[in-house]
């Protein structure tokens, strides 16, 4: 049994690029390390995220995101296009920039894993991160209470306040994985004629919004890690970039609630988010007019919802998130565009 364990650990090491093995040891100060858990494989077979235990280091373990671009990719929904591959490559390049240049600006109000090191070579990327489980953020939720949603909205509010109006380079010029510039294939097959015609206007309304920040870009429940102290940390910064904060908020609420719950709790959750955003901006002595910001972003909330709905209807027409609530919001946005109430 002992020989089998050592053989397994040996295989784990020889499968890794020796340069990356050296990088992990150098970044952590460990004499050696071994994989103890595969946390998840990356979308479409682009690598994996693993937890490594460390030998003779100041910390017990790290989480390593190891990206390896495949020669051919297999998308679970059949979107195997060169554009899709280039979008994924770009997303991992953006994530390395995020951890190198911007991650350290986040504080405990918008906690992210500390980055110990990033290394790229050929078609591989290694990102060495703090093990959030060891730092007390070991909770994962598949469904949440309203209170738990508020913890995530608290994170988003402080994240958006941190990067409000900040000039950034190397990240997505438009944050989120569904924005129109990178999704022409999904728009082409969209059967909703009115939404298809309004898609570019919806995109431009969000792009031209006066108040811009960084958006996480994939703020779904699965990317939040919960602590016992009623706080959360966030992971996965492949699609972080410039945008209206309502993109994150609308997407997050839609990822947690049913259509009936969305309608019932939308105002309560928005009220909480904007209260936290005001508090976060005051803490940072921001000169932003918070009343104007809230008025602007409340107008943008249904537009952001319609923007994601556009992507979803083209990408996966049978998806559970396509419901009567989303349809109602989207129809209202389209009608306001047609009447000239909403303009780009």
């Amino acid at each position: 049994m002992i020989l089998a364990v050592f053989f397994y650990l040996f295989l784990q090491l020889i499968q890794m690029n020796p340069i990356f093995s050296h990088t992990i040891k150098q970044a952590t100060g460990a004499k050696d390390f071994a994989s103890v858990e595969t946390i998840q494989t990356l979308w479409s077979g682009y690598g994996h995220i693993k937890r490594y235990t460390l030998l003779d280091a100041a910390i017990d373990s790290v989480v390593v995101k190891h990206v390896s671009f495949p020669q051919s990719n297999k998308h679970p929904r059949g979107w195997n296009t060169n554009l899709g591959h280039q979008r994924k490559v770009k997303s991992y390049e953006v994530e390395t920039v995020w951890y190198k240049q911007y991650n350290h600006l986040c504080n405990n109000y918008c906690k992210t894993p500390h980055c110990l090191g990033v290394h790229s070579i050929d078609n591989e990327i290694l990102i060495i991160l703090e093990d959030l489980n060891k730092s007390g953020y070991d909770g994962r939720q598949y469904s949440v209470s309203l209170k738990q949603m508020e913890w995530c909205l608290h994170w988003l509010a402080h994240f958006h306040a941190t990067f409000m109006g900040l000039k950034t380079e190397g990240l997505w010029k438009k944050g989120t994985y569904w924005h129109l510039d990178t999704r022409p294939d999904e728009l082409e097959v969209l059967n909703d004629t009115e939404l298809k015609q309004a898609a570019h206007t919806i995109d431009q309304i969000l792009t031209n919004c006066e108040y811009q920040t960084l958006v996480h870009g994939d703020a779904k429940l699965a990317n939040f890690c919960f602590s016992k102290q009623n706080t959360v940390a966030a992971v996965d910064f492949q699609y972080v970039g410039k945008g209206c904060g309502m993109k994150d908020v609308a997407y997050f609420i839609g990822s947690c609630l049913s259509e009936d719950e969305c309608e019932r709790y939308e105002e309560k959750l928005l009220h909480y988010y904007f209260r936290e955003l005001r508090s976060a901006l005051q803490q940072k002595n921001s000169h932003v007019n918070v009343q104007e910001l809230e008025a602007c972003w409340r107008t943008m909330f249904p537009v952001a919802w319609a923007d994601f709905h556009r992507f979803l209807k083209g990408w996966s027409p049978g998806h559970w998130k396509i419901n009567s609530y989303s349809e109602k919001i989207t129809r209202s946005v389209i009608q306001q565009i047609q009447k000239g109430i909403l303009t780009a």
Side-chain angles (χ1 to χ4, degrees):
M1 178 66 180
I2 295 176
L3 286 176
V5 171
F6 276 110
F7 181 66
Y8 170 76
L9 296 178
F10 174 72
L11 284 177
Q12 294 293 310
L13 290 176
I14 64 173
Q15 289 173 357
M16 179 176 286
N17 187 315
I19 296 176
F20 286 163
S21 178
H22 174 73
T23 299
I24 293 176
K25 292 177 184 178
Q26 187 176 52
T28 61
K31 181 179 179 181
D32 214 337
F33 63 92
S35 170
V36 292
E37 180 186 8
T38 297
I39 298 172
Q40 70 178 75
T41 56
L42 299 180
W43 193 253
S44 300
Y46 278 67
H48 52 253
I49 302 174
K50 290 187 176 183
R51 178 170 287 108
Y52 288 86
T53 187
L54 305 175
L55 177 64
D56 293 341
I59 53 178
D60 293 332
S61 60
V62 290
V63 169
V64 176
K65 189 168 188 174
H66 186 179
V67 182
S68 181
F69 300 122
Q71 296 299 314
S72 62
N73 57 306
K74 295 181 180 179
H75 192 287
R77 294 188 185 275
W79 294 98
N80 299 322
T81 65
N82 184 58
L83 180 61
H85 172 70
Q86 293 303 318
R87 181 175 59 250
K88 293 184 184 71
V89 171
K90 171 72 172 176
S91 77
Y92 291 118
E93 291 173 347
V94 163
E95 190 167 34
T96 63
V97 173
W98 164 261
Y99 279 115
K100 286 180 178 179
Q101 299 183 24
Y102 301 103
N103 187 62
H104 69 280
L105 297 175
C106 293
N107 57 29
N108 285 333
Y109 293 106
C110 51
K111 169 70 176 173
T112 61
H114 175 63
C115 182
L116 285 77
V118 176
H119 195 91
S120 303
I121 183 170
D122 298 329
N123 65 336
E124 294 183 84
I125 298 172
L126 201 75
I127 305 174
I128 307 165
L129 300 169
E130 168 191 1
D131 185 349
L132 288 173
N133 278 14
K134 289 290 185 179
S135 301
Y137 295 90
D138 56 348
R140 305 295 182 270
Q141 300 293 332
Y142 300 98
S143 62
V144 283
S145 65
L146 287 181
K147 183 57 66 176
Q148 289 169 321
M149 288 184 68
E150 287 179 353
W151 303 343
C152 297
L153 290 170
H154 177 274
W155 188 98
L156 286 172
H158 282 268
F159 182 79
H160 295 155
T162 298
F163 296 98
M164 186 72 67
L166 189 70
K167 292 184 178 180
T168 56
E169 295 182 359
L171 306 177
W172 289 97
K173 291 182 179 179
K174 291 183 183 180
T176 73
Y177 67 83
W178 63 86
H179 74 80
L180 196 59
D181 292 349
T182 62
R183 295 292 183 170
D185 296 337
E186 289 83 353
L187 181 64
E188 180 63 28
V189 299
L190 179 62
N191 289 324
D192 187 329
T193 304
E194 281 193 328
L195 181 53
K196 193 171 188 176
Q197 291 173 345
H200 287 282
T201 302
I202 289 171
D203 177 72
Q204 282 303 305
I205 290 171
L206 292 167
T207 301
N208 295 340
C209 173
E210 179 180 357
Y211 296 96
Q212 298 283 316
T213 183
L214 285 186
V215 294
H216 177 281
D218 192 8
K220 60 189 175 187
L221 187 57
N223 285 333
F224 286 101
C225 306
F226 291 73
S227 80
K228 293 180 176 62
Q229 285 70 46
N230 301 344
T231 58
V232 299
V235 296
D236 193 352
F237 289 88
Q238 291 174 228
Y239 294 96
V240 62
K242 186 178 179 181
C244 168
M246 290 296 96
K247 289 185 175 184
D248 279 340
V249 174
Y251 176 69
F252 171 71
I253 292 175
S255 77
C256 295
L257 301 179
S258 68
E259 56 184 312
D260 291 339
E261 291 170 332
C262 285
E263 190 148 25
R264 191 180 315 143
Y265 299 120
E266 173 193 303
E267 181 53 38
K268 175 182 174 65
L269 293 170
L270 283 176
H271 177 77
Y272 177 85
Y273 168 82
F274 282 114
R275 189 186 74 189
E276 291 303 312
L277 183 62
R278 287 193 298 272
S279 175
L281 288 169
Q282 288 168 2
Q283 288 178 21
K284 297 180 180 302
N285 297 314
S286 171
H287 298 297
V288 172
N289 185 315
V290 292
Q291 287 78 21
E292 291 182 1
L293 167 62
E294 180 173 349
C296 175
W297 277 13
R298 279 185 174 273
T299 302
M300 292 298 104
F301 178 77
V303 181
W305 197 291
D307 187 53
F308 181 68
H309 189 64
R310 174 267 311 160
F311 158 72
L312 207 56
K313 289 190 77 171
W315 182 67
S316 180
H319 201 282
W320 69 269
K321 291 182 184 179
I322 299 174
N323 55 48
S324 59
Y325 177 76
S326 293
E327 283 290 330
K328 183 175 73 172
I329 286 183
T330 301
R331 292 307 131 195
S332 176
V333 169
I334 292 172
Q335 289 171 9
Q336 290 180 70
I337 290 173
Q338 292 171 342
K339 294 176 179 178
I341 299 171
L342 283 172
T343 61

